[in-house]
Amino acid sequence: MKITRGGRLEGDLTKEISEFISSFQHDIYIAREVIEINLAHLLCLMDIGIISKEEGKEIAKVLLEMHIDNIPPDMEDIHMVVESELIKRLGEIGEKLHTGKSRNDQVATAIRMRLRKFIIEICKNIINLQEIIIRKAELYKNSIMPGFTHLQHAQPISIAHYLIAYFDMFNRSFERIISSYRRVNLSPMGAAALAGTGYKIDRMKIAEYLGFDGLVENTLDAVSTRDFSLEVASNLVILMLDISRLAEEIIIWATKEFNYIELPDEHSSTSSIMPQKKNPVTAEILRAKCGEIIGELVSMLTIMKALPLTYNLDMQELTPHLWRACEISSKSISILSDLIAKVKFNEKRMMNAVIDSSSVATELADMLVRNYNIPFRTSHRIVGEIIKEIYPTSLSKIDPEIVSEMIYKKIGIKPEVKLIEKALDPWHNINVREVIGGPSPLEIERMINSRLQIINSNRKLMESIEEKLMNGLKKLREEINYLF
Amino acid sequence: MKITRGGRLEGDLTKEISEFISSFQHDIYIAREVIEINLAHLLCLMDIGIISKEEGKEIAKVLLEMHIDNIPPDMEDIHMVVESELIKRLGEIGEKLHTGKSRNDQVATAIRMRLRKFIIEICKNIINLQEIIIRKAELYKNSIMPGFTHLQHAQPISIAHYLIAYFDMFNRSFERIISSYRRVNLSPMGAAALAGTGYKIDRMKIAEYLGFDGLVENTLDAVSTRDFSLEVASNLVILMLDISRLAEEIIIWATKEFNYIELPDEHSSTSSIMPQKKNPVTAEILRAKCGEIIGELVSMLTIMKALPLTYNLDMQELTPHLWRACEISSKSISILSDLIAKVKFNEKRMMNAVIDSSSVATELADMLVRNYNIPFRTSHRIVGEIIKEIYPTSLSKIDPEIVSEMIYKKIGIKPEVKLIEKALDPWHNINVREVIGGPSPLEIERMINSRLQIINSNRKLMESIEEKLMNGLKKLREEINYLF
Amino acid sequence: MKITRGGRLEGDLTKEISEFISSFQHDIYIAREVIEINLAHLLCLMDIGIISKEEGKEIAKVLLEMHIDNIPPDMEDIHMVVESELIKRLGEIGEKLHTGKSRNDQVATAIRMRLRKFIIEICKNIINLQEIIIRKAELYKNSIMPGFTHLQHAQPISIAHYLIAYFDMFNRSFERIISSYRRVNLSPMGAAALAGTGYKIDRMKIAEYLGFDGLVENTLDAVSTRDFSLEVASNLVILMLDISRLAEEIIIWATKEFNYIELPDEHSSTSSIMPQKKNPVTAEILRAKCGEIIGELVSMLTIMKALPLTYNLDMQELTPHLWRACEISSKSISILSDLIAKVKFNEKRMMNAVIDSSSVATELADMLVRNYNIPFRTSHRIVGEIIKEIYPTSLSKIDPEIVSEMIYKKIGIKPEVKLIEKALDPWHNINVREVIGGPSPLEIERMINSRLQIINSNRKLMESIEEKLMNGLKKLREEINYLF
Amino acid sequence: MKITRGGRLEGDLTKEISEFISSFQHDIYIAREVIEINLAHLLCLMDIGIISKEEGKEIAKVLLEMHIDNIPPDMEDIHMVVESELIKRLGEIGEKLHTGKSRNDQVATAIRMRLRKFIIEICKNIINLQEIIIRKAELYKNSIMPGFTHLQHAQPISIAHYLIAYFDMFNRSFERIISSYRRVNLSPMGAAALAGTGYKIDRMKIAEYLGFDGLVENTLDAVSTRDFSLEVASNLVILMLDISRLAEEIIIWATKEFNYIELPDEHSSTSSIMPQKKNPVTAEILRAKCGEIIGELVSMLTIMKALPLTYNLDMQELTPHLWRACEISSKSISILSDLIAKVKFNEKRMMNAVIDSSSVATELADMLVRNYNIPFRTSHRIVGEIIKEIYPTSLSKIDPEIVSEMIYKKIGIKPEVKLIEKALDPWHNINVREVIGGPSPLEIERMINSRLQIINSNRKLMESIEEKLMNGLKKLREEINYLF
């Protein structure tokens, strides 16, 4: 930690303190980005004559050769590693590169660059997951299952209907994350320590070299805000919450009692002692990861609370939690995708579950409203009573004639048996719910098609984002190459 | 709680259990919205002939007369209050309105309607705060203050520069919150319990009556997601974090030691025992509110974790935290606006603070780089040594001639005294930093003007959103009025 | 808010600011405690002659008559309500009572007094819950059920065994909460604003009057710490976590698919639209309350983070979360107790579940180890293979002769059919696990008896705590009564 | 991951899934503990004849030679590493050790063993910190400083008084953590997977070998609870909160404006660009660590929420957060101790700060009460007015004669100048506050002495705990050595 201490402070730090205040363990995430920033900054310093062409060439050479895969704990951070290597190799020339920039703007820039990569990776993973879900939905388009509220059978739906719900949830996550991208992809460079650099450095040019879409304009703001991290982390937490809901259902559905799904062996493990076990281990970890990431977010939020402007070292401790949140999310989507791709639904069992319960009750009540003009609340009460009386038999298993009779006794109206029969048929239940977004096969068909289009447009969006990003960095490489 | 229990379940709930599972304490937030939904749904049921024109008129009359300002704890929720009042007043006719809808879609719809109101209120409050900040920045355009990093003097900036940083932070909060609006303002109505209604209700029409921009399409998703609440709450937390940073600075700056600001008496209180006290009480509460809202978010996230689809009663417990998050934010912005409007900066004291410290050191080092081609790292070390040697005197208070001499002794170059004098002048420090977003007066002028335009466009955006919203509800009122 | 402002500050607060910084909404929790503190302090001021006997009588009279059930929002807090009432009624005499104390020590004292009441209430509720659990365990002493890991059938256990696990979990919560009591029940009075009072007030005496066990000695610490609140809230969160686990099991066990329990109608509700529903509503709310209380704790922790000593107004915002945490916990235990008391286990269904699955597999493997000296890992693998081969039939449903044959084919050893039969018998599985804390009936019997003794000793502990507390307050009342 | 899969499940896991569900990254924390458990379990299996003396010797030899410092990601966990190594080296004999135990009880046991080590380390660190604080207090026994509320000068106190407050705060942390120890140091071994082992293993004996004080009795509870982790983590969070308060004060006091302390260079760093900077970096990291650990706790709590009994793999994800919480705390105390040991208080500056403000105001008001029988509220108002009138001069700098005159004009009583002079003297302010726990030198002396005794008794407690722990493990080693 000698480079910067020299002038102002006595002695050096103990090993324990060095490690305590250093970001060495996590700066490896931004090592490549820091090199790129230094290259871009180099070009700008050459533009304004602080560094000569000859010097620039030497510096660029060293930077391009640098491969940092480990940061020693006695180094304050990655920035010092780069600078000290430059000085070691080039002497005075190496001492020139840190002109007109500070670690404060540099680290903010590097975090944004690394984060945008994670965003792109995660968004592409989401699209992949969406595709797997929608393919599965196509496969189970004609499979009836019980829809649940309060984990109790509610009304018949189809497996496709259910899967599309998750598609849509994940699509909102995609929307949220990608809408944060444009607040992430802004360049702080040129803000220097906080007050902006006094050199005539072109902030727009360095931003462009680094693939940014614009600037974090106010220089104080540029070095002191981490709201972009909090925003992305919050979005990831919501994504993981939805994953935890799906994981919970997988765990419940994989029980002996539910037996709604056949878990792939590749996502199961057994017990060290109980040989019969087939445990839904990936689903459990997915559920736990949601708990973890909520904590990561809380760490980040709490670290930032009440920090005065501008930079404080506290902010260094925020970043590892951001990386962890990104990795948790990215891996979880990937594992979940594989799980969904391989899971099998026990269609027969699910259909039987529908028949065994009385989830057609609402339709029976609706039928009375439609055909006999009975007010819904009355009709609801009558059907409730019938269910209680026939318990534990289910509505779908009782003779429609008897149901008709029971209704007659209650209200003096005897509904047609045909109508009752239809109302108690799960398929009719689904077909009749042809409202937009409902379970009717026609509507499911339409929804699947529109979701396939969404996947397409999400893909195109990602391509255009990546292309834009690459163009900047490509230009940087080219101009660096011109030096040689 | 009798209406719905009748058929299926025995007896009634004890008072203790009733209160435990009821949302009566918080449903008052959505009372008005629930009435509006019932009116819109009524029109749709009339369209498809479930309710006759005559019946519709009677129902509408009762709904319009209903004023709910208190929900008894033995009522399960607001929906039951409305329905039981209808039945009490209209008998069988009243029993008809709950056809083709469920509390599940209804409550999701009402929450979204109430939340969009909060969003609009909060966004308008933010714009107001932004205006106050930018007016203050204009006022202190020519006031120098120490810029801080690590709460240590870093480099001279201006009060305007500092205030614009907060303007920009709050503007990103505005952007985030308003970008969530379009995921909030979607209608779940027609989803019924979860599987969609089997009646031919026009989901788009009811959405339009209620001022929505579209549907939450998949009916399972419509009743089971609360991601829109989590998204808004997360955005509010980030807003409150920025407020807590400002509050912390106000508290520190109002100390006897800093004395950077004169706190308005209206934002201060004294002690019950120490007569000399002038405590920054509103700033302290603002800081605490940030802690509170982080907890509200955590409650919401944790409640939702691992809930299977679709609706679970757990979700009812989420909503009060959302309202609290909204109220905390809305009030805090309003209090902060008043505080900023009234606070006075002690310009003289702040200027003296700049002179007393050595925050011009970077410029001195930069000057050596610019004029004498000294590598920055060397120049940084030299200036560091000088500061240590003259301690506790500050750079700005030492004779430039002496500084020149000291430099000469170190590196054999004797810089022009004029150049040193300039480098040590805080005003020069600011003027030279004319990079985009920097503290130079010209750039500050430009930034203030562009922010005034941002205020304008934010205002216009809000107007268009409100207008669109009102149009739907206006149409609803009109069609209801046609009945009479 | 006039009393204290008068001297030092201009004007008055706006209504909005008043409400923002006031604790009026929550001080009602400590209204009675504040009166008691004032009475105790009065006696001490009379002891040292600051207040005469005559004056003391008048003040005591007013204090005893005061009934505060509502605090106006323009009052800063409850302390100001009491003092202004005293001054209104007694003039100058009323102005004397705030000698030698401050709101800072007074509020810390009152919170501790209110909190200890909550602790006692909660601990007694826990004991009640424990008794209900252990009575239930006695009832289901001979009922076999599947023990779960990963929500998969693991090994047979008994319902009593399962219930005792929760008894023990709740007992640790009891231990934790009551061990916090002694850090709660310490008196800050006499610390005044922060530096202690300059009057010769006897801190021990006032502590005794108020039922405290001792002092928070250091006066700075006395007014600035809230660790006792955080400690209790953390303990309550752990309690609620255990409740959420039980609630989750109740919800899962009440599904159509599991059907392990019959939920009491008093803890169920139905749907507004689906007449067949019987939803486990209290269990869902219990589960949600765990999410809520985690958030309350986070609010409290985050509010306290990085607050400089001593008192800051931020701390006022912490207290409502403490009360909410206490109320959530107290009510939840009470509701859960009623639920456990009334729930019925479907013993037959649970026994069948054991037979249907292969949860006796471990014992089969163990038998091979015990009787044929086969290494456990080999034996584990063999049994695993057999289960896979006979799938979907379960071990308990297969002819032991066949199992013996299968084993023979694998390892050349043919186990006695009798031994296999026994190993596959769920009752034998339980009986053989007679290790301390295991499911064997004898051990269950012993555990139930020892838990009944724990209930007794917990009860006695609570009685002694309450008695000690009452003695102090009784003495206070007596001495006050002597005045008249 | 082959050992356990073999029988029941097809194929193997992909690398990605293996890594996702494995605890390999964190099991290194418990590697040594797992070996010890295996050794103790070995002795028990030998006792009951499952393993012969000869076999036992071989197994013990391999276990003693095992040095695990890295767990390959394709291994499920540490338990599998140990077992597969045994099998690799000993074949069938190695397959015998996993008889009568499960990873479920083994991991719970290992975590408790590792955690108690951390508890002991942390508690000893706290004692060390306490000693440093109290030595510092002795050093600054006679140094006056301003006591703060709301970060405003309140009343004069001494540096020793202030330091003792932190001593006491940390002592309560010590109490809390050590009181959790007895719920941590209980053995789950013998619980096996969940239902207890069917072998005649002596649970008490294995507990004793491993240094435990008793059992987690109920076997279901033994494998499924993690409340002991949550409890310790909560206590550590409270500890870190107090550290964050001190860190905040250090940061504020190290500002140019406060200048209350001289930060040791070893705890400071400078800027990469601003040569004059001396940043309080360790204090900033300490403050941030508090934010981090709150998040760790939230992760742990949220992971556990609503997990059904008994073991779920989610619980594996909890443990790394526990280790992180322990390491954060242990290191932070150690860094803070060094910082406190080396920091210098600027006594002169602090004394001047007292004189410059009017923090003697309370005493002036008190004096009027004591000597002229003026009601406190009146006296409070008068002094408040005087302060406002003489502003910005402070009370301590004004001629007592003038003060006397001002009072006379207000209430017609002219206090003795001598009395006023005394009231305005900071030393008198401190001396007169001789209440228990107050700042008077005599009381400070007494408190320092009693705290030295607390340090002693804390030390003795730790020694007895460590001794007890070691005795068990010593016995284990001895019995293992007997084998050879």
Side-chain angles (χ1 to χ4, degrees), chain A residues 37-48:
Chain A
I37 294 166
N38 272 291
L39 285 169
H41 188 69
L42 171 65
L43 291 175
C44 292
L45 288 181
M46 290 170 70
D47 278 355
I48 58 169

Side-chain angles (χ1 to χ4, degrees), chain C residues 105-365:
Chain C
D105 57 349
Q106 195 163 304
V107 76
T109 306
I111 293 171
R112 287 167 181 269
M113 289 171 72
R114 183 68 186 89
L115 181 55
R116 69 187 182 192
K117 262 193 227 165
F118 264 124
I119 289 179
I120 290 170
E121 174 188 320
I122 289 166
C123 282
K124 286 161 85 175
N125 278 1
I126 292 177
I127 298 172
N128 186 40
L129 172 60
Q130 287 182 303
E131 181 153 34
I132 284 168
I133 288 173
I134 214 68
R135 293 296 171 210
K136 207 83 180 185
E138 280 180 314
L139 213 61
Y140 291 98
K141 206 154 55 179
N142 294 313
S143 310
I144 290 192
M145 64 171 272
F148 287 86
T149 60
H150 308 263
L151 210 55
Q152 297 286 325
H153 292 198
Q155 294 178 9
I157 58 169
S158 69
I159 297 179
H161 193 202
Y162 165 83
L163 287 168
I164 294 168
Y166 275 106
F167 180 99
D168 289 2
M169 288 151 79
F170 292 129
N171 203 55
R172 286 193 299 275
S173 272
F174 178 88
E175 276 184 29
R176 275 186 289 266
I177 296 168
I178 212 61
S179 93
S180 296
Y181 182 86
R182 65 196 167 112
R183 276 180 294 276
V184 170
N185 200 30
L186 301 173
S187 172
M189 284 309 290
L194 76 159
T197 173
Y199 300 91
K200 307 286 173 208
I201 283 173
D202 184 345
R203 289 191 70 191
M204 285 308 298
K205 195 172 177 184
I206 191 166
E208 217 182 298
Y209 280 145
L210 297 171
F212 285 106
D213 297 329
L215 305 181
V216 195
E217 206 174 84
N218 184 296
T219 57
L220 304 172
D221 188 23
V223 299
S224 77
T225 190
R226 289 294 182 272
D227 61 357
F228 65 95
S229 302
L230 305 175
E231 177 180 353
V232 173
S234 301
N235 290 336
L236 296 178
V237 167
I238 299 175
L239 167 69
M240 288 304 298
L241 270 180
D242 284 340
I243 288 180
S244 82
R245 300 182 76 173
L246 185 42
E248 172 85 356
E249 292 185 298
I250 289 167
I251 291 164
I252 292 174
W253 291 3
T255 58
K256 180 88 187 152
E257 284 76 5
F258 270 80
N259 191 25
Y260 279 17
I261 54 170
E262 191 60 44
L263 215 57
D265 277 13
E266 303 96 303
H267 285 265
S268 313
S269 76
T270 187
S271 155
S272 73
I273 168 169
M274 299 167 291
Q276 88 283 5
K277 291 300 291 292
K278 185 177 171 188
N279 296 324
V281 283
T282 52
E284 288 180 299
I285 300 288
L286 286 170
R287 184 174 58 183
K289 289 292 176 199
C290 169
E292 278 205 280
I293 201 173
I294 293 176
E296 304 298 347
L297 176 62
V298 170
S299 289
M300 294 169 72
L301 296 173
T302 316
I303 287 171
M304 286 308 290
K305 189 204 156 200
L307 288 190
L309 300 194
T310 59
Y311 186 79
N312 302 278
L313 198 59
D314 311 60
M315 286 148 69
Q316 171 183 287
E317 299 302 291
L318 176 146
T319 315
H321 298 280
L322 176 63
W323 303 148
R324 234 175 275 148
C326 288
E327 284 184 338
I328 286 172
S329 307
S330 181
K331 276 187 205 165
S332 295
I333 308 168
S334 166
I335 296 287
L336 177 64
S337 301
D338 191 63
L339 177 51
I340 298 296
K342 289 175 183 162
V343 77
K344 280 185 193 133
F345 291 90
N346 296 346
E347 300 167 78
K348 210 173 142 188
R349 163 74 183 131
M350 286 171 121
M351 184 51 158
N352 284 338
V354 170
I355 293 167
D356 276 355
S357 72
S358 292
S359 63
V360 295
T362 312
E363 182 52 25
L364 181 59

Side-chain angles (χ1 to χ4, degrees), chain A residues 224-237:
Chain A
S224 77
T225 190
R226 289 293 182 271
D227 60 357
F228 65 95
S229 302
L230 304 175
E231 178 180 353
V232 173
S234 301
N235 290 336
L236 296 178
V237 167

Side-chain angles (χ1 to χ4, degrees), chain D residues 369-384:
Chain D
V369 173
R370 275 195 220 97
N371 296 281
Y372 301 96
N373 197 24
I374 301 178
F376 181 76
R377 189 52 67 220
T378 305
S379 157
H380 175 273
R381 190 182 56 248
I382 293 166
V383 176

Side-chain angles (χ1 to χ4, degrees), chain B residues 408-419:
Chain B
Y408 178 71
K409 278 190 194 143
K410 287 177 192 299
I411 51 167
I413 292 168
K414 190 160 181 315
E416 260 185 77
V417 174
K418 278 258 163 96
L419 287 173

Side-chain angles (χ1 to χ4, degrees), chain B residues 264-280:
Chain B
D265 277 12
E266 302 97 302
H267 286 265
S268 314
S269 75
T270 187
S271 155
S272 71
I273 168 168
M274 299 167 291
Q276 88 283 8
K277 291 300 291 292
K278 185 177 170 187
N279 297 325

